[in-house]
Amino acid sequence: MLKAGRSQEEIRQHNLGALLRHVHLGGAVSRAVLADRMGLNRSTIMALTAELTSAGLVREELPKETRKAGRPSLVVRPESDRVYVLAFDVRVDRLVAARVGLGGTILARREAVRRRAGADLDDVVGVLARFARLLHRDARPDSVCVGVGAAYCGMIRPGDGMVRFGPNMGWVDQAFGTELSDRLGLGLPVAVGNEAHLGALAEHQRGAGVGFQNLVYLHGDVGVGGGIIVGGKLLDGDRGYGCELGHMIVNPYDGRACGCGSRGCLEAEVGEQALIDMAGRTSELSGREGVRAVVDAAARGDEPARDALRRIGDWLGIGVANLINLFNPGVVIFGGMLREVYPSAAPEVHHRVTSNALVISREVHLRTSGLGDDSTLIGAAELAFSKVLSSPLEALAR
Amino acid sequence: MLKAGRSQEEIRQHNLGALLRHVHLGGAVSRAVLADRMGLNRSTIMALTAELTSAGLVREELPKETRKAGRPSLVVRPESDRVYVLAFDVRVDRLVAARVGLGGTILARREAVRRRAGADLDDVVGVLARFARLLHRDARPDSVCVGVGAAYCGMIRPGDGMVRFGPNMGWVDQAFGTELSDRLGLGLPVAVGNEAHLGALAEHQRGAGVGFQNLVYLHGDVGVGGGIIVGGKLLDGDRGYGCELGHMIVNPYDGRACGCGSRGCLEAEVGEQALIDMAGRTSELSGREGVRAVVDAAARGDEPARDALRRIGDWLGIGVANLINLFNPGVVIFGGMLREVYPSAAPEVHHRVTSNALVISREVHLRTSGLGDDSTLIGAAELAFSKVLSSPLEALAR
């Protein structure tokens, strides 16, 4: 309920965050452009910039070149080397950690390939904490860590980062967020999100989905996860467990068994193992390597591989058409292993979209992820930055 | 971007609308309760109520009985007999028109049963305009019509009420909204919405979905439409054509032909004709009457009818499980003819939800529509009221 106008102080805090967000997402930008985009006058922009500069969040400099006559407008840049977050990405086959600077630059990263079986919470958190120490050690002494975020391949309870259900790693009700926070010992909470949710957010803010208010992101891995942006916001549902498009049943009676216990789920029909099995390569390879081998073989003309990709493409197209009918998105983005599969399966996907999506919703872009394999990691970093972007001075004052 | 606080005048307008909305949705309520719910003091409530009273939108009266000592708080009531909208519901088999008073009371209604074939725009608009004249004629002379809304069984372009695609009535690009507005001659625009979208809004505001921020509404008719509320707002998608859950493909390879040109869509598997065909009654009956006959026969123990309902229930359950995985809703509501089918098909639906929805999202209520067969009509009325609820005095000043 509106009782009265916001106080000057609230407005100032809001505008500081908004300016920092512009610079964080858009990169170096002149004061003049900021004034224009934010609808504020230049003296207000100058005051806000001065405050962010003295807090060490941005710096101002003369533009490298200018074509206009007169005094050039100073350029405002994020302090990418000084203000950073830690971002983690816990995948079935890999653990990734990165130091990501304000502005979204990955400053340093560490990775470990994992064997599929037997990774318990303690092992995973141990590896990530070790990576964090190494990443901190290499940071500039005057730099500051303002947040920690993690992407996880499972269903995450909002608020405390509890992994409720991570079937592909065999985790149920594991206190991942709090455990990692304790082990890091930075006095910072760890914001945890589902990997595909975070991938969708990252693609929406910095990738193939910039400018779209409605987008569907499909993230392929052992399973297929989803992140869906509706009206500019991530769909979370009543408890934060929405977007599970991988468990949309597309093949109810002849479907492959799924890790969730059901049959014919989209992820059972188009996941890594389905492709490898259909190509007749079950005994040779598995995981992402196996997917690449099938895609490469198809490119060389191997008929079983091509046929497998066609069949995967057909199921994927059914799923995508259903999602288009439900969400009327502006763009559908394929990430994770689907980024590698989609180009070879595109004709079948397009065919299904043309025949199964309602004619009026068919004008939709189909794209691979703009951030390559880093969508989920960048999404974790964005989650970690959210505090400093909403109240810049408070987050630093800790 | 926030530049400054809202003006006192903006706040007053906002609060007038908010108070009117409370009374419109909640019915008669004391000033004391309004003060409490809106977080405003009683003198502000008194001033707002006085203004709405003098505009003729609400009236104040002493409560019928009071248990507390001291001066009783006056009760604020919507002027249901004086302030009304016209609501229309265009269905494949029926045209409905109603005069609906502020507060949501249906004051009077007119209906015409339609033969399926050959209803063109001109015929439909002609019937609705005649109904409108009759409804106006019977209204109190001092009453005022503040809006017009219509529900239509097809895809509607937001803004101008153009029917883009109404396959079940054979309409493509028909200017329904503007044509009806012209023919009514009230100088009011006609707000048109997809019937299932409006059904969802009505159930959310007044029906089985009150209190849920995430709900899925399935509306069965010749086809199956959907309205999905995400975070309290109707999912519309990039151009307003989202929520088409009836065209989610659940049976891609053995599916029945669908009116959209595809195969195995949810609406092809669970629509009226599917049920009637499966029960072996194709030659006897059609439409809603046919559905009722099958449900009645099943209740009497007719085995083909029971089997048909089991099969419909299984497909419906697959669709519902998929929607639960995607939207993590608090409630799923069955409206239109599905309101009559669901009780007989509930065991199969529950079985599919238990086996196909992810365990963590299964805690969801499955209910038939709380507004009976009037969800879509009430939704059209709510659409018509939206102007007066957002700026009460302006809407009356016309």
Side-chain angles (χ1 to χ4, degrees):
Chain A
M1 195 49 43
L2 293 179
K3 280 196 231 181
R6 301 200 194 199
S7 72
Q8 287 300 316
E9 178 53 24
E10 283 172 310
I11 294 167
R12 194 182 64 101
Q13 286 291 346
H14 173 93
N15 285 342
L16 283 171
L19 195 157
L20 188 59
R21 185 174 289 276
H22 270 284
V23 173
H24 173 64
L25 291 177
V29 58
S30 74
R31 283 188 194 164
V33 170
L34 280 170
D36 191 44
R37 290 201 191 138
M38 294 179 64
L40 296 172
N41 63 41
R42 288 175 74 157
S43 65
T44 305
I45 294 290
M46 198 159 68
L48 294 169
T49 309
E51 209 161 350
L52 293 174
T53 302
S54 73
L57 290 161
V58 303
R59 67 176 186 278
E60 293 184 281
E61 52 192 37
L62 281 167
K64 290 211 175 63
E65 53 185 70
T66 177
R67 275 160 300 183
K68 286 196 194 142
R71 207 174 64 177
S73 177
L74 285 176
V75 163
V76 185
R77 247 178 225 294
E79 279 282 14
S80 302
D81 294 332
R82 284 201 55 229
V83 180
Y84 69 89
V85 296
L86 289 181
F88 300 104
D89 191 6
V90 178
R91 308 183 186 180
V92 174
D93 63 347
R94 211 153 25 135
L95 297 177
V96 188
R99 189 155 46 83
V100 180
L102 190 67
T105 319
I106 296 180
L107 301 169
R109 68 191 295 155
R110 298 271 169 174
E111 287 193 36
V113 173
R114 297 175 53 231
R115 278 154 303 162
R116 292 271 159 116
D120 67 7
L121 176 65
D122 200 56
D123 289 344
V124 168
V125 167
V127 173
L128 297 180
R130 185 165 54 79
F131 282 168
R133 281 193 299 279
L134 296 171
L135 291 166
H136 276 303
R137 196 193 59 192
D138 298 341
R140 271 170 51 170
D142 63 342
S143 62
V144 53
C145 178
V146 296
V148 186
Y152 181 87
C153 52
M155 296 169 98
I156 308 301
R157 184 162 70 194
D160 66 356
M162 167 80 85
V163 173
R164 292 300 313 279
F165 189 52
N168 295 322
M169 283 178 68
W171 286 16
V172 174
D173 289 337
Q174 298 283 309
F176 173 56
T178 49
E179 191 66 29
L180 181 56
S181 174
D182 286 354
R183 200 76 73 89
L184 292 174
L186 298 169
L188 288 168
V190 178
V192 186
N194 167 277
E195 57 174 356
H197 293 191
L198 295 181
L201 284 172
E203 291 293 330
H204 181 234
Q205 290 183 356
R206 301 183 172 277
V210 169
F212 292 93
Q213 291 302 294
N214 298 280
L215 75 81
V216 173
Y217 172 75
L218 294 100
H219 186 83
D221 201 339
V222 173
V224 174
I228 301 169
I229 307 278
V230 173
K233 287 180 63 180
L234 183 73
L235 185 161
D236 49 8
D238 243 36
R239 293 144 167 251
Y241 305 120
C243 299
E244 287 288 342
L245 54 83
H247 300 285
M248 173 167 56
I249 299 214
V250 290
N251 192 10
Y253 290 115
D254 306 310
R256 292 168 57 95
C258 182
C260 75
S262 184
R263 272 193 179 276
C265 294
L266 183 64
E267 82 168 41
E269 303 297 340
V270 309
E272 286 177 356
Q273 202 54 47
L275 179 67
I276 293 165
D277 291 351
M278 284 181 199
R281 289 166 177 259
T282 312
S283 56
E284 293 166 41
L285 284 160
S286 68
R288 192 69 69 93
E289 291 306 309
V291 169
R292 286 196 191 117
V294 175
V295 171
D296 290 347
R300 291 192 309 268
D302 179 87
E303 200 44 51
R306 294 175 71 159
D307 187 53
L309 281 163
R310 278 194 292 266
R311 287 160 69 190
I312 293 283
D314 192 51
W315 289 117
L316 187 58
I318 290 171
V320 168
N322 285 353
L323 294 165
I324 290 172
N325 286 333
L326 282 168
F327 294 99
N328 184 202
V331 63
V332 176
I333 300 170
F334 301 96
M337 78 96 180
L338 290 175
R339 191 173 61 91
E340 312 194 32
V341 165
Y342 174 70
S344 311
E348 283 70 28
V349 175
H350 277 278
H351 177 73
R352 277 287 178 185
V353 168
T354 306
S355 46
N356 296 162
L358 293 168
V359 61
I360 217 162
S361 302
R362 270 179 220 160
E363 281 176 47
V364 52
H365 300 273
L366 305 183
R367 297 179 178 169
T368 53
S369 65
L371 302 170
D373 215 24
D374 283 333
S375 312
T376 49
L377 183 70
I378 297 286
E382 291 303 325
L383 196 60
F385 276 120
S386 58
K387 180 90 193 294
V388 76
L389 294 175
S390 63
S391 19
L393 305 187
E394 272 177 48
L396 276 186
R398 276 184 341 107
Chain B
M1 197 46 45
L2 293 179
K3 281 195 230 180
R6 301 202 195 197
S7 71
Q8 287 301 316
E9 177 54 24
E10 284 172 309
I11 294 167
R12 195 181 63 101
Q13 286 291 347
H14 174 93
N15 284 343
L16 284 171
L19 196 155
L20 189 59
R21 184 174 290 274
H22 270 284
V23 173
H24 172 65
L25 291 177
V29 58
S30 73
R31 283 188 196 163
V33 170
L34 280 171
D36 191 44
R37 289 201 193 140
M38 295 177 63
L40 297 171
N41 63 41
R42 287 175 75 155
S43 66
T44 305
I45 294 290
M46 198 160 67
L48 294 169
T49 309
E51 208 161 351
L52 292 174
T53 302
S54 72
L57 290 162
V58 303
R59 67 174 187 278
E60 293 184 281
E61 52 192 36
L62 282 168
K64 290 210 173 64
E65 54 185 70
T66 176
R67 275 160 297 183
K68 286 194 194 146
R71 206 174 66 175
S73 179
L74 285 176
V75 162
V76 185
R77 244 177 228 295
E79 278 283 14
S80 301
D81 294 331
R82 285 202 55 230
V83 181
Y84 69 90
V85 296
L86 290 180
F88 300 104
D89 192 4
V90 178
R91 307 183 187 181
V92 174
D93 63 347
R94 216 159 13 143
L95 297 177
V96 188
R99 190 153 49 81
V100 180
L102 190 68
T105 320
I106 296 179
L107 301 169
R109 67 193 294 155
R110 299 272 171 172
E111 285 194 35
V113 173
R114 297 172 56 230
R115 280 154 301 163
R116 292 269 159 119
D120 67 8
L121 176 66
D122 200 57
D123 288 346
V124 168
V125 167
V127 173
L128 297 180
R130 186 164 56 79
F131 283 168
R133 279 193 301 277
L134 295 169
L135 292 166
H136 275 302
R137 198 192 56 192
D138 298 341
R140 271 171 52 172
D142 65 340
S143 63
V144 53
C145 176
V146 296
V148 186
Y152 181 87
C153 52
M155 296 169 97
I156 308 301
R157 184 161 70 196
D160 66 356
M162 167 79 86
V163 173
R164 291 300 312 281
F165 189 50
N168 295 323
M169 283 179 67
W171 287 16
V172 174
D173 289 338
Q174 299 282 308
F176 172 57
T178 49
E179 192 67 28
L180 180 57
S181 174
D182 286 354
R183 199 76 75 87
L184 292 173
L186 299 169
L188 288 168
V190 178
V192 185
N194 167 276
E195 58 176 355
H197 293 191
L198 296 181
L201 284 172
E203 291 294 330
H204 181 233
Q205 290 183 356
R206 299 183 173 279
V210 169
F212 292 94
Q213 291 300 294
N214 297 281
L215 75 82
V216 172
Y217 172 75
L218 293 100
H219 185 83
D221 200 340
V222 174
V224 174
I228 301 168
I229 307 277
V230 173
K233 286 181 64 180
L234 182 73
L235 185 160
D236 50 7
D238 242 35
R239 293 143 169 252
Y241 305 120
C243 299
E244 287 289 342
L245 53 83
H247 299 285
M248 173 166 57
I249 300 214
V250 289
N251 192 9
Y253 289 115
D254 305 310
R256 292 169 56 95
C258 181
C260 75
S262 184
R263 271 194 180 277
C265 293
L266 183 64
E267 81 167 41
E269 303 297 340
V270 309
E272 286 178 356
Q273 202 55 46
L275 179 66
I276 294 165
D277 291 351
M278 285 182 198
R281 290 166 176 259
T282 312
S283 57
E284 293 166 41
L285 284 161
S286 67
R288 191 70 69 95
E289 290 307 310
V291 169
R292 287 198 189 114
V294 175
V295 171
D296 290 348
R300 291 192 309 268
D302 179 87
E303 200 43 54
R306 295 175 71 158
D307 187 53
L309 281 163
R310 278 194 290 266
R311 287 161 68 190
I312 293 282
D314 192 50
W315 290 116
L316 187 58
I318 290 172
V320 168
N322 286 353
L323 293 165
I324 290 171
N325 285 335
L326 282 168
F327 293 100
N328 185 204
V331 63
V332 176
I333 300 170
F334 301 95
M337 77 94 183
L338 289 175
R339 191 173 59 90
E340 313 194 30
V341 165
Y342 174 70
S344 311
E348 283 71 27
V349 175
H350 277 279
H351 177 73
R352 276 289 178 182
V353 168
T354 305
S355 45
N356 296 162
L358 293 167
V359 62
I360 216 161
S361 303
R362 269 179 220 160
E363 280 177 48
V364 51
H365 301 274
L366 305 184
R367 297 179 177 169
T368 54
S369 65
L371 303 168
D373 215 23
D374 283 333
S375 312
T376 51
L377 183 71
I378 297 285
E382 291 304 325
L383 197 60
F385 276 120
S386 58
K387 180 88 193 293
V388 76
L389 295 175
S390 63
S391 13
L393 306 187
E394 270 176 49
L396 276 186
R398 278 187 339 109

